[in-house]
Amino acid sequence: MATSRRSFRPVWIVIFCLLIAIGAVVFLYGILAGNTSRTWHAYLVNYLFWFSLAYGIVLYGAVMNMTTADWARPIKRLTEAFGPFLPLSLPMLWLLYIGREEIFIWIREPAPEKSFWLNMSFLFIRNSVGLILLSGVSLALIYSSVRGDSKISPPSEDDLKKEKIDETIQRRQDSPAWRAQVLLSPLLAVLYGVVLSSVGIDLVMSLDPHWYSTLFGAYYFLNSFYIGLAALAILSAVSLNTLGLKALVKPYYFHDLGKILFGFCMLSGYFFYAQFIVIWYGNLPEETHYLIERFRYSPWENLAYVILIITFLFPIFILLFRRIKLNPLLLSVVSVIILIGYWLERFILVAPTYWKGEGLPIGIPEVGIAAGFFGMLALSVTLFLRRFPILPISDPLFLKYLKREYDKKLEAERKKFGFV
Amino acid sequence: MAIQQGLVGVFIYLDDVLRAIGKLNGGGIPIKNVYSPMKSPEIIEAMEAKPSGIRPVSLIAGILGGCSGLALATYAHLRWNLITSGKPILPWIPWVVIFFEMLILISVLCTVAALLIKGRIPRIHYGKGGYRPTFSGDRFGIEVYGGSSELEKAWAIMKESGAEEIDEI
Amino acid sequence: MEAKSYQEVNEEILRTLGRPRMRFVITVSLLALGTLIGAACWAYQIAHGLGIAGYVHPVYWIIYLTNFVFWIGIGHSGTLISAVLYLFRAKWRTGISRSAEAMTIFCVFIAALFPLIHLGRSWIFYWLIPYPNQRTLWINFQSPLIFDVFAVSTYFTVSLLFWYIGLIPDLAVIRDRAKGIPRKIYGLFSLGWVGNHRQWHHYGTAYLILAGLATPLVLSVHSVVSWDFALIIVPGYHDTIFAPYFVDGAIHSGLAMVLILLIPLRKIYKFEKFITINDLESMAKAMIVTGLFIGYCYGMELFMAWYSGNRFEKDMILIRLLGQYRISYYLAVICNIAAPLFLFSKRVRTNTRALFAIAVSVTIGMWLERYFIVLGPIAQDYDPYNWGSYFPQPVEILITFGSFSFFFFLFLLFAKFLPSVSIAESKEDLEPPLRLRQKER
């Protein structure tokens, strides 16, 4: 009853490898054909988007452990599936080193008062160390979660009867695997905040070295968490049939996920507004030029309004409706739109620093490299889910969830036959 | 035994209440009120209550409230044209805050008003009828009105379901 | 929740509404005295002007605004517990939500007094209200002070209504058990609630909607208060991080105040069944998160002041670290960030004395944080010729003391005259009485 043996078909692996190849080809062609500035910036935008998505969704697994939330337990493995993708953030960061002159304006025109912070070696060392720590802790968390599962067999209905189950849950809570997860989850959360702030400040805010905003780091890591949630919604919907989770993932799971998505949509909009109103109101030229470039100059002005609508106004409105939240397909469609919106948001943060021409630089380099990153991400998820058990059977909260669902089933049957 | 206007049955157990509701509804006897000491989703489901109409009230009141806040701000800024720190006369960016706060305020006021109206409170003569003080303690109650034959049937159903006591109103 | 039956729930919770004992009367009298002292100082200040409160050029925003931000901040935690946790269906909310929500109302009320005290000519506060008047003046809707008016009055109204709607069924319980004049009073305020299925149905929907509407207020109100400062272009005020920083600080100080109120309440009223040690532990865990984020914000301010390359920002930070208010800064760092780190240990989290001590330290730390944030930047801003020095005056200290007395006075009256744990929700948490279960036994 509590097992799931289906998985992604092998044809997907081929498709994802193809996407990676397309991305690599587009990237190399762009570099060699001389379109270096645009290609490197496309690479940067995609790097920022896809890795922050992956770190965000893995953080969500840690958050679920910390809040001892059992409603989302069946999909725990889905949040960990992005694990193999995370260590790739390091070599791909070092790849940026090759294109550093194109990306970082302060190499050619150094800002002397900031040169302690904004110099290549320090930037790469601190971000590498941060990403090593962050991906290391994430992998350790995922390892303790998966290791526990490969040693235990799934519980049967007899196990779920009252007396024995509390013992079993207690035993699982005392197991070293669970205790490791309880220890690593808050550590991951703290590292996530610090490292992603650093990445946001170094790779996005420094692109315009004379601009600064104290909220930028927090804004970046909050958005990353939000897009991680949107990705989780999509992956949960996909896994219902592909991974056979339909029996365990009840409709109220999507309702709750939709509510969390709504909450984080409001939070992200709030963080954006907090920066915007302070800068708008103060009207200080050293702060406002960044916003004016993105909200008043064409071609960015229209893109900015589009982003506002699809990342904030549209989800806030549409996620009010119960019917949308309960339907996995509709929720995934909304999530896809949110993800596109945030890709564009990363784009509008980065692009005006290099593109001074007409029209928006969204074309083959951007989309091709995005396809490549998506292929890598999807390949890591697919391979992970093919290799490891889908259900977190050693997780004590998963047992609590199963017990709760079992009790609910009994209650419903009793009501049918016992009450009336 | 002729019974006049109505009956109220006092129950200790929730499943007795649900059984009685089912049988009374099945027998076509209209139930006026079911009293309980706390919110019981089972009773509400058994009474087949329609979704509460408060939600659309809150939403519409909120949007109208937010817009009224903006309308007030617009009117005030047009009447008293004070240009402060070079900002436009009608700046929408800070007015997001005004819109938001008025949305919440008016929505809450209208939600509370809707609750009072739909719950038919405040009520001075709440005790007239089937209400017993134990209903706020640990007893449930079913209040039924009808003709004498219906009430005889209701009496029998409630007794059979396990009512602790049944009073005439 | 370890009570067994509905009758037990009623009796346990209503036990606190009995005849007050001598120590209660003495405590309330002392607190009333403290309040009167504060009120007398306010009257003295109105008679003699704000100068005796230490107001000196250019430091015009001092302890009254510190208190304003402090008290509003504390109130946010109450709404977080009663509204946000209701939406999350968190089990540990039931025992503490009523007290937390009451705490919010009293905090917001006291906070709203402080702008009046700070005005000096308190009677002209009505100039802030937008109504067509004989002066043909309208308020400036883009000023953060006006955002404050809207935000604080909305917050007070919403909190009061949310608390009151939650109280109605409980007041009906008391009405049905009281006699004489108390019965009439509780009957009046319970609005004739009978608890029929229709009422509960609409009540459930309305309560959920109110919780959903009160939740964004947790973020927005303290953000609006923070924008009172952030929208001013003085280094040390003008930071984009202020909004989440203040909101997080508010929740941090609010959780501490809830612990300060509930730990003694639980002990004195013997409410261990309703407010379990796990509830307190959950609050402690939340405090770790908020404390860490405050640490992040402190760090980010320091870093960004240097990174900005702005001469004035760097000087502001140096003054904060080495200047006349440096003691409050270091104390705040220790009390706000270092002290909650002890909560990482389960032994500390489940020890009520340690929790109380840490909560007191956080409260003091958060007050000091507001102090150096409000005072520091304006005391020494751009032009050294314009710098001023300020020292706390007796009037302000006594009014602050009076506000604390008033808060605890109101809370004790609440604990005596109203049920401090929600009766209806406690009953919802229990398994309903089923004949089936009786038979099984």
Side-chain angles (χ1 to χ4, degrees):
Chain A
M1 154 205 158
T3 56
S4 169
R5 280 199 194 89
R6 286 152 68 178
S7 190
F8 291 104
R9 294 198 296 274
V11 64
W12 286 107
I13 300 185
V14 175
I15 296 179
F16 296 143
C17 287
L18 214 66
L19 285 175
I20 298 177
I22 293 176
V25 161
V26 168
F27 176 67
L28 285 169
Y29 179 72
I31 303 288
L32 299 171
N35 199 1
T36 45
S37 175
R38 184 160 165 190
T39 313
W40 278 115
H41 282 93
Y43 178 81
L44 178 66
V45 170
N46 283 300
Y47 177 84
L48 292 170
F49 178 74
W50 294 103
F51 281 106
S52 54
L53 188 158
Y55 280 115
I57 201 174
V58 172
L59 177 73
Y60 185 64
V63 167
M64 280 202 301
N65 289 341
M66 286 194 285
T67 55
T68 61
D70 55 45
W71 60 274
R73 233 46 195 164
I75 52 93
K76 184 183 178 204
R77 202 43 41 79
L78 296 180
T79 63
E80 297 164 354
F82 289 73
F85 185 58
L86 299 180
L88 290 176
S89 57
L90 276 152
M92 309 213 77
L93 178 72
W94 296 330
L95 201 62
L96 273 176
Y97 186 80
I98 304 177
R100 66 191 181 282
E101 300 238 340
E102 304 284 348
I103 301 175
F104 299 112
I105 300 178
W106 39 265
I107 293 185
R108 269 182 266 172
E109 309 159 10
E113 68 273 10
K114 306 186 199 202
S115 60
F116 172 74
W117 188 259
L118 293 183
N119 62 74
M120 276 329 279
S121 37
F122 191 22
L123 187 144
F124 270 93
I125 292 175
R126 66 170 173 267
N127 283 308
S128 305
V129 168
L131 287 173
I132 290 175
L133 282 174
L134 189 58
S135 48
V137 172
S138 311
L139 287 176
L141 181 67
I142 295 173
Y143 174 71
S144 11
S145 167
V146 171
R147 181 183 71 153
D149 289 345
S150 44
K151 292 192 179 151
I152 302 184
S153 57
S156 64
E157 286 223 3
D158 286 324
D159 290 334
L160 292 175
K161 297 230 159 64
K162 268 209 168 110
E163 306 80 38
K164 265 181 73 184
I165 198 68
D166 291 323
E167 255 183 53
T168 321
I169 292 180
Q170 190 55 44
R171 223 182 328 126
R172 303 254 175 107
Q173 272 180 335
D174 292 334
S175 71
W178 177 246
R179 279 222 292 257
Q181 290 176 67
V182 168
L183 208 69
L184 288 170
S185 302
L187 183 61
L188 177 64
V190 171
L191 276 176
Y192 172 90
V194 173
V195 173
L196 280 199
S197 297
S198 162
V199 167
I201 290 174
D202 289 338
L203 295 182
V204 188
M205 202 169 86
S206 74
L207 296 181
D208 188 339
H210 298 290
W211 185 71
Y212 61 95
S213 159
T214 37
L215 188 54
F216 198 82
Y219 168 73
Y220 187 78
F221 76 63
L222 186 82
N223 280 349
S224 309
F225 189 62
Y226 177 42
I227 56 182
L229 283 174
L232 179 64
I234 299 173
L235 190 57
S236 309
V238 163
S239 71
L240 275 186
N241 284 318
T242 325
L243 297 175
L245 281 179
K246 217 175 192 140
L248 279 172
V249 177
K250 305 277 185 275
Y252 73 76
Y253 162 79
F254 285 99
H255 193 189
D256 284 342
L257 192 60
K259 281 192 257 180
I260 294 189
L261 213 54
F262 177 80
F264 273 89
C265 180
M266 283 223 286
L267 258 182
S268 300
Y270 158 71
F271 269 55
F272 168 76
Y273 183 74
Q275 286 193 110
F276 192 69
I277 190 168
V278 171
I279 296 179
W280 178 86
Y281 210 94
N283 220 5
L284 296 174
E286 59 257 31
E287 295 180 343
T288 54
H289 73 263
Y290 192 85
L291 292 191
I292 292 176
E293 213 175 350
R294 285 156 183 75
F295 294 98
R296 291 273 186 268
Y297 289 172
S298 79
W300 311 108
E301 188 180 2
N302 297 324
L303 182 65
Y305 278 109
V306 167
I307 295 175
L308 179 70
I309 294 174
I310 65 180
T311 59
F312 182 66
L313 293 173
F314 168 73
I316 284 255
F317 178 68
I318 206 90
L319 288 174
L320 282 173
F321 297 105
R322 224 165 149 251
R323 243 172 288 150
I324 309 269
K325 290 191 286 242
L326 282 171
N327 184 330
L329 179 65
L330 287 178
L331 194 62
S332 335
V333 168
V334 174
S335 303
V336 167
I337 295 178
I338 293 174
L339 287 180
I340 295 176
Y342 270 98
W343 190 96
L344 290 172
E345 187 255 356
R346 299 274 189 258
F347 176 74
I348 206 178
L349 285 177
V350 170
T353 58
Y354 78 94
W355 183 258
K356 307 295 178 202
E358 289 290 314
L360 287 172
I362 298 184
I364 301 205
E366 286 77 21
V367 176
I369 298 178
F373 272 89
F374 172 68
M376 268 193 279
L377 185 74
L379 188 68
S380 85
V381 170
T382 315
L383 290 177
F384 184 91
L385 289 174
R386 282 175 70 89
R387 171 82 180 75
F388 296 111
I390 307 261
L391 292 173
I393 42 188
S394 72
D395 190 325
L397 295 175
F398 183 59
L399 272 186
K400 274 198 196 152
Y401 171 82
L402 285 179
K403 177 182 175 219
R404 192 157 56 90
E405 290 296 310
Y406 179 67
D407 286 345
K408 268 202 254 180
K409 200 171 71 164
L410 278 187
E411 199 71 24
E413 280 174 11
R414 238 187 232 152
K415 274 195 217 168
K416 258 200 287 182
F417 305 117
F419 285 179
V420 179
Chain B
M1 179 169 63
I3 308 169
Q4 260 24 11
Q5 296 168 314
L7 287 178
V8 62
V10 179
F11 294 79
I12 304 179
Y13 297 108
L14 178 60
D15 42 0
D16 292 345
V17 174
L18 295 173
R19 217 175 304 131
I21 294 177
K23 291 199 187 131
L24 287 168
N25 278 336
I29 303 171
I31 304 175
K32 179 112 189 291
N33 283 318
V34 179
Y35 298 99
S36 58
M38 78 296 171
K39 179 165 56 114
S40 171
E42 291 93 357
I43 292 181
I44 295 173
E45 201 187 318
M47 290 298 291
E48 283 153 22
K50 290 193 304 283
S52 168
I54 298 185
R55 282 185 73 124
V57 169
S58 306
L59 183 65
I60 297 175
I63 296 179
L64 286 180
C67 294
S68 67
L70 284 184
L72 178 64
T74 308
Y75 176 73
H77 274 225
L78 289 175
R79 284 280 291 179
W80 184 246
N81 262 341
L82 200 62
I83 301 178
T84 45
S85 60
K87 306 289 192 292
I89 305 269
L90 302 178
W92 67 268
I93 293 170
W95 286 358
V96 169
V97 178
I98 306 275
F99 175 83
F100 182 77
E101 300 295 344
M102 287 297 279
L103 182 146
I104 304 275
L105 180 65
I106 305 293
S107 184
V108 165
L109 289 174
C110 290
T111 304
V112 171
L115 171 65
L116 294 179
I117 294 174
K118 282 201 185 283
R120 308 212 185 109
I121 46 177
R123 219 151 154 228
I124 307 176
H125 302 295
Y126 64 91
K128 285 210 181 119
Y131 183 68
R132 301 278 177 275
T134 49
F135 292 155
S136 62
D138 56 354
R139 294 286 188 271
F140 299 85
I142 301 184
E143 190 181 346
V144 182
Y145 289 91
S148 51
S149 63
E150 285 178 322
L151 291 183
E152 296 238 10
K153 260 198 288 184
W155 202 96
I157 290 176
M158 288 203 271
K159 194 77 189 169
E160 186 195 357
S161 303
E164 190 189 29
E165 63 177 87
I166 306 178
D167 293 330
E168 301 171 20
I169 315 170
Chain C
M1 259 300 307
E2 284 141 45
K4 292 281 179 336
S5 73
Y6 291 170
Q7 200 53 31
E8 217 179 280
V9 167
N10 269 12
E11 282 165 13
E12 289 279 330
I13 298 178
L14 293 180
R15 188 171 29 94
T16 66
L17 267 62
R19 200 172 195 77
R21 285 196 291 204
M22 189 39 74
R23 62 181 183 181
F24 177 84
V25 176
I26 294 179
T27 318
V28 168
S29 315
L30 285 175
L31 291 172
L33 187 63
T35 312
L36 284 175
I37 294 176
C41 285
W42 185 7
Y44 181 68
Q45 182 191 280
I46 292 182
H48 290 262
L50 282 175
I52 55 159
Y55 281 55
V56 68
H57 182 87
V59 193
Y60 287 121
W61 281 12
I62 328 176
I63 290 197
Y64 299 141
L65 283 175
T66 307
N67 284 330
F68 168 63
V69 181
F70 176 73
W71 283 112
I72 289 248
I74 290 184
H76 278 65
S77 191
T79 313
L80 182 89
I81 290 175
S82 56
V84 177
L85 290 185
Y86 185 75
L87 293 181
F88 286 170
R89 304 193 296 259
K91 290 268 152 48
W92 52 282
R93 170 192 172 268
T94 317
I96 55 181
S97 66
R98 177 64 47 74
S99 311
E101 192 61 40
M103 178 192 86
T104 297
I105 299 172
F106 302 143
C107 287
V108 177
F109 179 66
I110 293 174
L113 286 178
F114 275 102
L116 300 186
I117 302 177
H118 165 72
L119 270 180
R121 294 181 295 165
S122 308
W123 54 92
I124 58 169
F125 76 93
Y126 65 92
W127 288 2
L128 283 174
I129 301 173
Y131 71 101
N133 51 56
Q134 152 271 334
R135 308 180 299 279
T136 68
L137 285 179
W138 286 97
I139 56 176
N140 178 12
F141 279 89
Q142 74 179 26
S143 159
L145 303 180
I146 300 300
F147 299 166
D148 252 355
V149 169
F150 278 85
V152 174
S153 52
T154 302
Y155 192 45
F156 184 65
T157 313
V158 170
S159 295
L160 187 65
L161 286 173
F162 189 53
W163 178 73
Y164 181 59
I165 298 288
L167 260 180
I168 291 179
D170 293 357
L171 291 174
V173 173
I174 303 176
R175 166 199 71 196
D176 290 336
R177 270 148 203 76
K179 300 189 214 352
I181 298 202
R183 187 195 174 93
K184 290 211 170 65
I185 299 179
Y186 283 108
L188 178 72
F189 283 107
S190 66
L191 304 181
W193 173 267
V194 294
N196 64 41
H197 66 283
R198 229 173 286 112
Q199 283 182 340
W200 281 119
H201 180 48
H202 292 302
Y203 175 86
T205 311
Y207 198 77
L208 184 64
I209 296 178
L210 287 177
L213 287 171
T215 303
L217 282 184
V218 171
L219 280 183
S220 70
V221 172
H222 218 62
S223 304
V224 166
V225 169
S226 80
W227 289 330
D228 274 344
F229 305 102
L231 301 186
I232 299 175
I233 47 179
V234 162
Y237 273 7
H238 195 68
D239 264 339
T240 45
I241 206 170
F242 261 35
Y245 171 28
F246 270 50
V247 170
D248 185 79
I251 299 174
H252 196 53
S253 59
L255 286 171
M257 186 58 90
V258 171
L259 284 173
I260 291 178
L261 288 175
L262 285 184
I263 292 176
L265 183 94
R266 177 178 181 264
K267 186 111 192 267
I268 296 175
Y269 281 161
K270 299 196 187 17
F271 268 165
E272 282 86 354
K273 273 188 245 182
F274 296 102
I275 307 174
T276 62
I277 195 70
N278 283 331
D279 303 342
L280 297 178
E281 198 188 337
S282 304
M283 278 194 275
K285 283 195 218 171
M287 256 173 70
I288 301 178
V289 176
T290 49
L292 286 172
F293 188 70
I294 290 196
Y296 171 89
C297 292
Y298 278 30
M300 191 55 80
E301 268 197 297
L302 286 174
F303 170 70
M304 212 51 84
W306 171 82
Y307 178 90
S308 66
N310 184 327
R311 165 76 189 277
F312 303 107
E313 295 271 348
K314 285 195 228 186
D315 282 351
M316 182 275 299
I317 285 288
L318 285 175
I319 291 171
R320 183 176 283 179
L321 293 173
L322 305 169
Q324 52 181 319
Y325 306 119
R326 66 186 178 283
I327 309 272
S328 62
Y329 181 75
Y330 295 127
L331 268 178
V333 170
I334 296 172
C335 294
N336 286 335
I337 305 172
L341 291 178
F342 286 101
L343 295 171
F344 269 117
S345 133
K346 187 161 177 107
R347 238 176 17 162
V348 173
R349 283 202 301 266
T350 46
N351 178 336
T352 48
R353 274 184 216 186
L355 275 180
F356 190 80
I358 294 181
V360 169
S361 124
V362 167
T363 308
I364 296 175
M366 287 309 299
W367 194 94
L368 288 172
E369 180 197 291
R370 309 290 197 242
Y371 181 74
F372 74 72
I373 288 183
V374 170
L375 282 183
I378 43 170
Q380 288 157 309
D381 60 6
Y382 295 100
D383 185 357
Y385 184 71
N386 201 34
W387 289 1
S389 208
Y390 156 80
F391 298 101
Q393 299 295 316
V395 168
E396 302 180 287
I397 298 176
L398 284 175
I399 291 186
T400 308
F401 166 75
S403 75
F404 275 88
S405 304
F406 191 34
F407 173 70
F408 288 109
F409 171 73
L410 288 174
F411 192 79
L412 280 185
L413 286 184
F414 155 77
K416 178 46 67 180
F417 290 108
L418 291 171
S420 33
V421 175
S422 169
I423 299 177
E425 284 177 21
S426 302
K427 288 181 185 168
E428 275 177 50
D429 267 359
L430 290 177
E431 209 196 315
L434 297 174
R435 192 177 285 275
L436 216 59
R437 296 274 186 273
Q438 272 298 100
K439 284 195 193 140
E440 281 171 7
R441 274 190 222 115

